Amino acid sequence: MNIHHPLDAASYYFKDTLVSYLDRRCHRENIIIHVETREDSGLHIGNLTTFVAAFALAAVLKQRFGRNVRVRFVYTPASGDECTIGGVRYQRHALPNGVHEVNPSPFMRVVRRISEFFGIPFDTATQSLWRDNPEFSDVLQAIVAKLKSCSLTSRLVIRAPCPQCGLMDKRGTHSCFDDDGHISFDCPRHGQYAAHLHDPREWHRLNFNAPFRNLLRVILCSRDKNNSWILCAGAHYGGFYQDQLMWRFLDNPDNAPPIFYSPLIVDSSGGRLSESLFRDQDPYDFHFDFGLEYMISVFRFLGRHGGLEALCREVHAWMEEPHRLFRNYSMQYIDTQLRRRGMTALQR
Ligand SMILES: [Zn+2]
């Protein structure tokens, strides 16, 4: 197969030097590569590739630059059921943190194998990692103060479940901030309730949407005196999302941790594999005709002898040739590469 990697934008400037650039951006002795994952998320070739990329990057930083690196998975709460009442979107309070710890298969099993392949340690944390940070209160209040002066309040959302029924206003439609740190919320069944940003006993009740969590995390990591951080995410989190919902809010962008974007694995239409789409709507039937069903089911993938190791070798090769990191790959291409790198041929 003749494959081209057109050079443009970031790939032009970092095509050979990406990893050494990241090494220079990490000034502390220890490096933590952060990966966020929903604790009830299924595994498929898309998010697996992002996880493998985090370990592969860590391995190159360790081997080539002698850095002390680990990967940290930080769980976000499972997403609860949603409903619409009076035109407002509500979400039921999600499961408590730690589902992967209670039911570690297959996530932990897969991550341990990737960790062993690359010789890189990992750990896991819940959102309390950020709440327990001594800078949390200061950063939270600074973000809220900044949001009140702009038009993006509706996109960076703090919410809290109703103490009686667990419903929470997903988009913060009826949430109101007072100058003294009170936030009032509205339950369609039980009326108003409140939380206070200054009270640490209430922080565990607060729930932040993805852009808010992202902003909190970036600022907290930028203030860490002991560790350098690299945030690893799928490439769909790049571009307009970060430009509008994160970078523009930073007072000191130079201090922010670099974000490393893993290539997406896309279907034949160019769309990213989405776990919620194939769980709820099953739109990938046509891939069964091509023998690619193992890519959307971790159990089928693990059934292929050598599949996970082949993926590790493929992603590691991207680190050796960083121009290959600034693009996405089709499921068909990845299938070819996995077979070439030792995955057992598909059984039909
Ligand atoms: Zn309620």
Side-chain angles (χ1 to χ4, degrees):
M1 197 187 312
N2 191 18
I3 296 295
H4 300 288
H5 303 284
L7 293 178
D8 46 35
S11 65
Y12 181 80
Y13 295 99
F14 297 98
K15 59 184 183 295
D16 301 316
T17 58
L18 177 68
V19 183
S20 59
Y21 173 80
L22 291 172
D23 173 62
R24 289 196 302 278
R25 286 286 311 274
C26 295
H27 305 296
R28 315 277 179 217
E29 185 179 347
N30 302 317
I31 300 175
I32 299 173
I33 299 185
H34 167 281
V35 184
E36 185 179 81
T37 182
R38 217 179 62 230
E39 59 186 359
D40 63 338
S41 176
L43 285 170
H44 52 79
I45 199 80
N47 55 8
L48 262 179
T49 298
T50 302
F51 299 163
V52 171
F55 282 101
L57 174 63
V60 175
L61 285 165
K62 177 185 173 186
Q63 291 156 9
R64 203 181 295 169
F65 301 99
R67 303 302 301 261
N68 184 23
V69 198
R70 66 171 43 243
V71 174
R72 176 163 298 162
F73 289 91
V74 180
Y75 302 138
T76 62
S79 51
D81 297 336
E82 293 188 20
C83 61
T84 300
I85 302 173
V88 176
R89 202 81 185 137
Y90 290 92
Q91 190 170 44
R92 200 161 290 284
H93 186 40
L95 296 167
N97 275 330
V99 167
H100 276 317
E101 309 296 335
V102 175
N103 180 21
S105 178
F107 176 86
M108 278 296 182
R109 194 153 45 98
V110 170
V111 170
R112 282 196 190 104
R113 275 176 62 184
I114 304 170
S115 168
E116 285 167 12
F117 181 92
F118 287 105
I120 294 292
F122 76 97
D123 54 38
T124 62
T126 64
Q127 292 297 307
S128 64
L129 174 73
W130 311 121
R131 286 196 299 268
D132 294 343
N133 187 305
E135 304 263 2
F136 177 80
S137 176
D138 182 51
V139 172
L140 178 60
Q141 287 167 50
I143 295 174
V144 170
K146 190 157 283 195
L147 289 180
K148 284 199 295 194
S149 65
C150 79
S151 60
L152 277 169
T153 311
S154 61
R155 294 194 173 83
L156 287 105
V157 178
I158 302 178
R159 50 214 175 183
C162 168
Q164 294 189 60
C165 68
L167 279 185
M168 66 182 179
D169 180 351
K170 186 175 182 189
R171 293 170 187 152
T173 309
H174 295 308
S175 304
C176 290
F177 297 88
D178 294 342
D179 288 336
D180 65 357
H182 268 102
I183 314 177
S184 64
F185 305 98
D186 190 60
C187 173
R189 294 170 184 154
H190 302 101
Q192 288 208 326
Y193 55 99
H196 202 291
L197 294 180
H198 299 302
D199 187 348
R201 291 169 302 180
E202 303 207 347
W203 289 344
H204 73 279
R205 294 176 55 207
L206 301 178
N207 181 292
F208 308 101
N209 75 345
F212 202 110
R213 277 199 313 275
N214 186 39
L215 193 53
L216 261 176
R217 170 171 61 232
V218 164
I219 299 175
L220 288 171
C221 290
S222 72
R223 296 186 182 191
D224 191 335
K225 301 283 192 296
N226 301 313
N227 306 293
S228 287
W229 293 73
I230 296 172
L231 309 180
C232 178
H236 55 302
Y237 281 107
F240 197 72
Y241 175 84
Q242 300 288 16
D243 293 346
Q244 298 304 312
L245 301 177
M246 194 273 281
W247 291 116
R248 62 181 291 197
F249 290 109
L250 297 184
D251 293 328
N252 296 300
D254 277 352
N255 296 335
I259 305 174
F260 174 81
Y261 296 105
S262 168
L264 302 181
I265 309 304
V266 298
D267 66 21
S268 51
S269 78
R272 174 183 69 88
L273 293 189
S274 162
E275 191 257 345
S276 58
L277 276 181
F278 61 66
R279 183 182 57 197
D280 299 339
Q281 298 177 28
D282 200 21
Y284 295 118
D285 282 352
F286 65 95
H287 284 301
F288 284 63
D289 297 335
F290 299 105
L292 300 179
E293 70 275 15
Y294 73 93
M295 290 196 169
I296 57 177
S297 161
V298 71
F299 296 105
R300 288 195 176 100
F301 184 49
L302 294 177
R304 309 284 174 206
H305 179 73
L308 187 58
E309 289 70 22
L311 181 63
C312 291
R313 284 191 282 275
E314 172 67 12
V315 174
H316 185 259
W318 301 347
M319 303 296 157
E320 298 296 333
E321 298 178 295
H323 64 272
R324 298 174 65 184
L325 286 162
F326 295 95
R327 51 160 299 161
N328 298 324
Y329 292 99
S330 69
M331 295 169 74
Q332 287 82 356
Y333 172 78
I334 291 297
D335 177 56
T336 303
Q337 291 300 97
L338 296 185
R339 294 178 194 224
R340 198 169 71 78
R341 295 187 182 279
M343 184 180 74
T344 302
L346 300 173
Q347 303 294 319
R348 299 299 301 272

